[in-house]
């Protein structure tokens, strides 16, 4: 079975501080993992996917198969990073995304 | 055009009404999806269409009836809904063999 766990419902950090949003997954095969972000009153949008290994808006995420984790990191948080973040897994071809419960990130000034 | 559009933005319907949600994309994507999102919860997959054929139905009650009339359009027909069906309904699209899904803004449905 596919499962994504985001242990923190809420995360609050100060502007300029490092931020890490945790994501652990359960899947027996080789998963495709993503981070989606939903800013206030905006649509859900893709932030990162592990296969591209890129940095978007200063965020990075590394797939650790040994720890079955895909944590999202940013060294210096900005106020505009405040949003809901969802980790998602696709383990059955390209058609079935399973989302974690989400972490609401708040960046305090 | 790189967006998925959904209409209407808001819908209020009674339990005996019949209504439809509409989703449209012009990105040439041949996979389209319906998700249901309750407040403060992640999206939950309902249906997947691939090349205009229904490929996944996540055991959704028959009061929800999807339709994909062509490669750009996806409809969700609603009939005899219950108050607990009130939610944000999201449409998404992707290339069938790509992993990135593009989401619409959603239709906020209230069943009274």
């Amino acid at each position: 079975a596919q499962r994504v766990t985001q242990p923190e419902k809420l995360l609050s950090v100060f502007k300029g501080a490092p931020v890490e949003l945790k994501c652990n997954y359960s899947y027996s095969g080789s998963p495709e993992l993503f981070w989606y972000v939903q800013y206030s009153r905006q649509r859900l949008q893709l932030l990162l996917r592990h296969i591209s290994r890129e940095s978007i808006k200063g965020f990075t995420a590394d797939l650790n198969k040994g720890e079955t984790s895909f944590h999202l990191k940013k060294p210096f948080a900005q106020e505009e990073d405040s949003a809901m973040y969802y980790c998602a897994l696709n383990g059955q071809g390209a058609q079935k995304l399973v989302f974690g419960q989400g972490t609401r990130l708040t960046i305090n000034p | 055009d790189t967006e998925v559009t959904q209409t209407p933005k808001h819908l209020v319907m009674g339990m005996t009404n019949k209504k439809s949600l509409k989703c449209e994309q012009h990105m040439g994507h041949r996979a389209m999806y319906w998700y249901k999102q309750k407040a403060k919860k992640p999206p939950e997959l309902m249906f997947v269409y691939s090349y205009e054929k229904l490929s996944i139905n996540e055991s959704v009650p028959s009061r929800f009836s999807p339709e994909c009339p062509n490669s750009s359009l996806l409809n969700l027909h609603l009939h005899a809904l219950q108050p607990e069906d009130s939610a944000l309904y999201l449409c998404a699209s992707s290339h069938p063999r790509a992993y990135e899904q593009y989401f619409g803004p959603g239709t906020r449905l209230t069943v009274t």
Side-chain angles (χ1 to χ4, degrees), chain A residues 9 32 34 36 38 42-46 49 51 84 86 90 92-97 99-102, chain B residues 3-4 31 33 35 37 41-43 45 48 50 55-56 58 94 96-101 103-105:
Chain A
K9 281 190 177 180
E32 293 291 337
F34 309 86
Y36 280 83
Q38 194 165 29
Q42 293 188 29
R43 67 184 67 199
L44 193 62
Q45 56 188 284
L46 180 68
R49 47 189 166 178
I51 54 172
M84 178 68 88
Y86 292 102
N90 188 327
Q92 295 183 9
Q95 297 200 334
K96 190 166 181 175
L97 268 183
F99 288 88
Q101 291 299 303
Chain B
E3 281 198 344
V4 175
Y33 312 78
Y35 289 84
Q37 187 176 24
K41 296 290 186 182
L45 184 66
V48 180
S50 182
S55 59
I56 296 177
E58 290 287 280
S94 74
R97 296 198 179 280
Y99 299 105
E100 180 173 348
Q101 293 188 19
F103 284 83

Side-chain angles (χ1 to χ4, degrees), chain B residues 13-17 79-83 111-112:
Chain B
M13 61 185 290
M15 289 189 283
T16 58
N17 291 159
H79 173 54
L81 294 193
Q82 303 296 310
V111 181
T112 60

Side-chain angles (χ1 to χ4, degrees), chain B residues 36-50:
Chain B
K36 176 181 178 180
Q37 187 176 24
K38 300 284 274 185
K40 299 184 180 180
K41 296 290 186 182
E44 293 181 5
L45 184 66
M46 299 174 70
F47 302 103
V48 180
Y49 273 83
S50 182

Side-chain angles (χ1 to χ4, degrees), chain B residues 75-92:
Chain B
N75 298 320
L76 186 63
H77 303 298
L78 315 171
H79 173 54
L81 294 193
Q82 303 296 310
E84 58 265 28
D85 295 322
S86 297
L88 182 68
Y89 287 84
L90 298 172
C91 174

